[in-house]
Amino acid sequence: MAFASATTSSSLISPSPVGMIQRRFADLAGARKRALVPYITAGHPDVPRTIELIHGLEDAGADVIELGLPFSDPMADGPIIQASSQRALELGMHFDLLLDLVARARPRVPIVLFSYLNPIIAAGQDALIRASQAGFSGVLITDLPVGSDPEREAWFGDGPLAFIRLVAPTTPQARMKEIAEHGSGFVYLISRLGVTGVRDDMPAELPATVRRLRSSTTLPVCVGFGVSRPEQAAAVARIADGVVVGSAIVRAAGEGVEQAVKLASALRGAIDAA
């Protein structure tokens, strides 16, 4: 996929949604910094506080925000994110409301639509265009492996959003290269097998897995699943281009926006000090 490059000669021309993510990681690389990529669930604890969270996370130093569309039948989500999705669904969250939420938030950093496949298909053929118009810069689909549905993958890959792909720690290197070639923006490396959640330690083999992935792609590598504390974020920042934190942020958001922002600030500090 060709990237639309952002111009530096005129502030009147903005980068494309795909280019926004590319530019963010290029700026970070130039500053020798690593990305903080928090995940939050749309509609948790409710819509107004989701908008507050987006703004608070931006102020705390988030570089990219993953915004999850709640789904009734999750496969990769642990109990914390499952519970947040259930609450959001009970409060009426759906695709069109998600778009309205992002449009109202007017995000200052790239926002990635994080979803299972079915809700996006149900939203219609123009779903990706409408998401881009609302303010999203990327899309990540958790249950669409490379090669599983070429026609549907082409729909995402040729669309207006960066198509971020997932790589597992058990993925062979040749398959890593194949996955990365069918994605854009960055590659999301799952740090461990299993579902999302808070963990006490990081896998001993993670540095070697990151090295294998780096040798397979020129895209930035972001690591998530199990990162919950500042010291873990620092450890990941030493080997990857970005640190994804989901369950810990979602759990804190359930206690209050201030708690989630405070955690994000601590994670930002740890990443910058790594």
Side-chain angles (χ1 to χ4, degrees):
M1 175 184 294
F3 289 104
S5 60
T7 181
T8 57
S9 61
S10 173
S11 60
L12 298 178
I13 302 177
S14 300
S16 70
V18 173
M20 286 184 66
I21 294 178
Q22 183 187 34
R23 171 56 62 88
R24 175 64 59 148
F25 279 98
D27 289 346
L28 288 167
R32 300 180 65 84
K33 296 182 65 176
R34 299 294 183 258
L36 170 61
V37 186
Y39 166 95
I40 56 176
T41 302
H44 170 77
D46 52 38
V47 168
R49 281 182 285 182
T50 301
I51 295 174
E52 287 182 38
L53 269 171
I54 291 173
H55 295 159
L57 293 172
E58 290 173 331
D59 292 341
D63 296 291
V64 177
I65 297 173
E66 294 178 345
L67 185 60
L69 177 61
F71 183 51
S72 58
D73 299 284
M75 295 179 293
D77 298 332
I80 294 172
I81 293 180
Q82 280 193 36
S84 71
S85 293
Q86 184 60 39
R87 173 178 171 82
L89 289 171
E90 290 171 354
L91 292 175
M93 179 52 61
H94 53 78
F95 184 81
D96 287 343
L97 184 55
L98 171 76
L99 300 190
D100 178 69
L101 184 162
V102 171
R104 288 165 56 192
R106 299 175 63 88
R108 306 190 305 271
V109 304
I111 303 287
V112 173
L113 171 57
F114 197 107
S115 180
Y116 290 88
L117 180 59
N118 278 0
I120 306 301
I121 293 176
Q125 190 64 29
D126 63 346
L128 302 181
I129 294 172
R130 291 194 289 130
S132 174
Q133 292 170 341
F136 280 101
S137 297
V139 60
L140 190 157
I141 302 298
T142 60
D143 53 349
L144 185 63
V146 169
S148 62
D149 187 341
E151 183 177 353
R152 185 63 63 183
E153 290 174 70
W155 181 60
F156 283 103
D158 296 336
L161 304 175
F163 187 22
I164 294 138
R165 308 309 296 255
L166 292 163
V167 169
T170 54
T171 302
Q173 189 159 358
R175 177 67 171 170
M176 285 182 170
K177 186 174 186 296
E178 181 185 13
I179 292 170
E181 287 175 346
H182 288 83
S184 56
F186 63 89
V187 181
Y188 187 138
L189 173 61
I190 298 168
S191 69
R192 65 180 74 238
L193 298 178
V195 297
T196 62
V198 175
R199 301 290 192 274
D200 292 330
D201 56 6
M202 300 305 297
E205 66 276 10
L206 182 60
T209 305
V210 172
R211 286 194 297 271
R212 285 197 296 120
L213 181 53
R214 281 196 183 282
S215 68
S216 305
T217 182
T218 59
L219 290 173
V221 174
C222 294
V223 175
F225 273 54
V227 183
S228 58
R229 301 195 304 271
E231 61 268 27
Q232 293 172 326
V236 172
R238 295 186 192 105
I239 59 173
D241 300 299
V243 184
V244 183
V245 182
S247 294
I249 293 284
V250 171
R251 181 175 63 184
E255 300 169 358
V257 173
E258 298 81 3
Q259 286 84 343
V261 172
K262 182 178 179 180
L263 174 58
S265 296
L267 293 165
R268 175 80 269 169
I271 290 170
D272 290 343

